[in-house]
Amino acid sequence: MKRTEGFQPISQESTPALIAAQLRSLISKGSMAPGAQLVEMDIAGALGVSRGPIREAIQRLTQEGLLVSIRNRGVFVAEFGEADIRDIYEARTAVEKAAAGLLVEGDHSSAGAELLVKVDDMEAARAKSNSEAMSEADVAFHERLVAMAASPRLSRMHGTLLTETRMCLNRLEGRYLDESVRVAEHRHIAEALKDGKTELLMKLLDAHKDDALARLLTEKPSAATLQTA
Amino acid sequence: MKRTEGFQPISQESTPALIAAQLRSLISKGSMAPGAQLVEMDIAGALGVSRGPIREAIQRLTQEGLLVSIRNRGVFVAEFGEADIRDIYEARTAVEKAAAGLLVEGDHSSAGAELLVKVDDMEAARAKSNSEAMSEADVAFHERLVAMAASPRLSRMHGTLLTETRMCLNRLEGRYLDESVRVAEHRHIAEALKDGKTELLMKLLDAHKDDALARLLTEKPSAATLQTA
DNA sequence: AGAAGTATGATTGTTGACAATCATCCGATC
DNA sequence: GATCGGATGATTGTCAACAATCATACTTCT
């Protein structure tokens, strides 16, 4: 028996990566609002580290597009207008369609089944009129769709796009939906994947995007304004 | 006349961003080989700055996936195996197809014409048997395809994927091709775009990817091994 | 009242110093 | 020869200090 059997290599995350993850989460949740300035000294004080690693973390998020850095003036949470929202959804759909394409070539039956579980989560949230859980389940559906494709690059790109999506959705007030339509849309996508119907799947993903954009970019958000991820 | 007419706002790039761009270029060109360690002090000395901004630049490239950072041991240029090459090409094709889809919905005729200009560059390089120019023209074709879609996110994602592509291609030796086939493939894509033939365009992009992967991942590169971007 | 100039405070950008960590080498021991 | 322990040098990670820059407030001048 080898003496090191049973041991696992230890891998420590770097401090800037940890800080970046925490900041990303706060930005994603809207705790740090679009346009808000990140003050290094404040964050350093809150986290109990020096400004160096904070600056390094900020570079990560700037590279990712979540922060905007203006030399000598500071770093701000990115703000997205209508064009950005369109761009985010276009890019997301591109990634999701590519992932779906890969999934259809594999065991699409169990992939679809797994997505249906996520749809059930959405249905449960709808039944409880828990809109926060619904949003989370909606995002989880899309996340899982791409993750199952086991493509590191699609997942990486999608991760950023989902963060950007959340940032956009955080800004919108009064987001109501006939949630059963929302659940049904996702169920149709999952079923098309399950059945290996490539063309239908692509059409549904496109329609899902068009639907979302139409609702998100309605000029006067009203009580009937709809939301979907 | 307003006193500030004719003036343009000045916007200074941050030092870490400048450093990151230079490093990205060196990595892209293969001057910094996959697996090579970046030594902060060396780079700082070469650029005449302190280690702080170097570290910040490195965080950018790490976030982008071009560098791999291991705590307390250093930062290394990312290395890609066969699975990575597949993933890069899959992701690139996803982005390129999405861009193509957007272009077809607009003035696809002039978009296609513009791509044909890039094909002519490729043809000129073929006629001179200049394989470096051919590679550059090939990459420029794909770059332009996505840039014309005017989608910041597709362009951003594509930029990284192209750098990764170059890194992979840098490793391969003996890359010979019947270059006229290569030029023809790109010409067909440009023509399909010009003519607004969506389905054909998507099929050609997929075939282009499959072709590239088949060639790049041939087990024993021979004089007949083909290369395309 | 509006414009210009100056001062001030907050924040950013960079640097060099120091501690921590790791890889490598060398010598001792079995 | 193989293993272990210790020393050494290289490099990384973090920190605090200082200079530079900007935004804001206040004062003076027209």
Side-chain angles (χ1 to χ4, degrees):
Chain A
M1 166 161 143
K2 200 176 172 190
R3 288 183 306 171
T4 55
E5 198 153 312
F7 286 82
Q8 297 291 338
I10 293 183
S11 178
Q12 277 260 50
E13 192 92 78
S14 75
T15 304
L18 292 172
I19 297 169
Q22 204 174 144
L23 293 178
R24 191 181 288 112
S25 174
L26 292 173
I27 290 165
S28 182
K29 284 195 273 193
S31 308
M32 284 172 148
Q37 178 164 12
L38 279 72
V39 181
E40 298 167 10
M41 293 202 57
D42 291 351
I43 301 172
L47 297 183
V49 296
S50 74
R51 284 171 49 226
I54 303 293
R55 296 184 58 80
E56 289 185 38
I58 282 171
Q59 293 293 342
R60 285 185 167 232
L61 298 177
T62 300
Q63 176 62 32
E64 199 175 339
L66 303 180
L67 298 180
V68 176
S69 168
I70 304 169
R71 186 182 176 94
N72 290 326
R73 286 172 57 193
V75 175
F76 305 85
V77 179
E79 296 178 271
F80 303 131
E82 179 174 316
D84 293 301
I85 296 175
R86 274 186 203 286
D87 198 46
I88 290 163
Y89 273 82
E90 290 288 345
R92 260 188 55 200
T93 305
V95 171
E96 287 168 13
K97 280 165 76 174
L102 291 175
L103 291 175
V104 166
E105 287 168 18
D107 184 358
H108 52 80
S109 184
S110 58
E114 206 168 322
L115 279 192
L116 284 170
V117 174
K118 298 294 175 185
V119 175
D120 290 343
D121 291 345
M122 290 174 74
E123 176 58 37
R126 187 204 63 82
K128 291 183 202 162
S129 299
N130 184 340
S131 68
E132 194 178 331
M134 173 61 91
S135 284
E136 288 309 308
D138 192 326
V139 168
F141 174 98
H142 291 270
E143 208 158 24
R144 191 67 200 139
L145 169 64
V146 172
M148 286 189 292
S151 157
R153 281 159 191 81
L154 289 181
S155 293
R156 185 180 72 200
M157 300 189 293
H158 199 242
T160 296
L161 294 168
L162 280 186
T163 302
E164 289 177 310
T165 302
R166 287 196 189 91
M167 288 163 75
C168 295
L169 298 185
N170 285 335
R171 293 174 47 200
L172 300 177
E173 306 282 355
R175 294 163 284 170
Y176 302 110
L177 169 67
D178 182 349
E179 303 285 32
S180 59
V181 171
R182 186 178 182 183
V183 173
E185 275 189 9
H186 288 82
R187 195 179 298 278
H188 293 153
I189 290 169
E191 277 165 0
L193 172 60
K194 191 167 188 294
D195 299 336
K197 297 181 176 177
T198 306
E199 278 200 40
L200 176 61
L201 182 55
M202 300 303 161
K203 280 186 162 67
L204 288 173
L205 285 169
D206 271 327
H208 191 53
K209 170 203 67 178
D210 293 336
D211 207 32
L213 286 179
R215 295 192 175 110
L216 285 178
L217 302 180
T218 301
E219 197 160 331
K220 298 198 180 180
S222 67
T225 300
L226 309 176
Q227 173 231 16
T228 189
Chain B
M1 166 162 146
K2 200 177 172 187
R3 287 184 307 173
T4 57
E5 200 154 308
F7 286 82
Q8 297 293 342
I10 293 182
S11 177
Q12 277 260 54
E13 192 92 78
S14 74
T15 305
L18 293 172
I19 297 168
Q22 203 175 146
L23 293 179
R24 192 180 287 112
S25 174
L26 292 174
I27 291 165
S28 181
K29 284 194 274 194
S31 309
M32 283 171 149
Q37 178 164 13
L38 279 72
V39 181
E40 298 169 11
M41 293 202 58
D42 290 352
I43 301 171
L47 298 183
V49 296
S50 72
R51 284 172 47 227
I54 304 292
R55 295 184 58 82
E56 291 186 36
I58 282 172
Q59 292 294 343
R60 285 185 167 230
L61 299 178
T62 301
Q63 177 62 33
E64 198 175 342
L66 303 179
L67 298 179
V68 177
S69 168
I70 304 167
R71 185 181 178 94
N72 291 327
R73 287 173 56 192
V75 176
F76 305 84
V77 179
E79 295 178 270
F80 303 131
E82 181 175 314
D84 293 300
I85 296 174
R86 275 187 203 284
D87 199 45
I88 290 163
Y89 274 83
E90 289 289 344
R92 261 189 52 199
T93 305
V95 172
E96 287 169 11
K97 281 165 73 173
L102 292 174
L103 292 175
V104 167
E105 287 169 15
D107 183 359
H108 51 81
S109 182
S110 57
E114 205 166 321
L115 278 193
L116 284 169
V117 172
K118 298 294 174 188
V119 176
D120 290 341
D121 292 345
M122 289 175 75
E123 176 57 38
R126 187 203 64 81
K128 292 184 202 162
S129 298
N130 184 339
S131 67
E132 195 178 330
M134 173 62 92
S135 284
E136 287 309 307
D138 192 326
V139 169
F141 174 97
H142 291 270
E143 208 158 22
R144 192 70 200 135
L145 169 64
V146 174
M148 285 189 294
S151 156
R153 281 160 191 80
L154 288 181
S155 294
R156 185 179 74 202
M157 301 189 294
H158 199 242
T160 296
L161 294 169
L162 280 185
T163 302
E164 288 177 310
T165 301
R166 287 196 189 93
M167 287 163 76
C168 296
L169 298 184
N170 286 335
R171 295 173 49 201
L172 300 176
E173 306 284 352
R175 291 164 285 170
Y176 302 108
L177 168 67
D178 181 348
E179 302 283 33
S180 58
V181 172
R182 187 181 185 182
V183 173
E185 275 190 8
H186 289 82
R187 196 179 296 282
H188 292 153
I189 289 168
E191 278 165 359
L193 172 60
K194 192 170 189 297
D195 298 338
K197 297 180 176 175
T198 306
E199 278 202 40
L200 176 62
L201 182 54
M202 301 303 161
K203 281 187 164 63
L204 288 172
L205 285 168
D206 271 328
H208 191 53
K209 170 204 70 179
D210 294 336
D211 207 33
L213 285 179
R215 293 190 177 112
L216 285 176
L217 301 179
T218 302
E219 199 161 331
K220 298 200 179 180
S222 67
T225 300
L226 309 175
Q227 175 233 12
T228 188

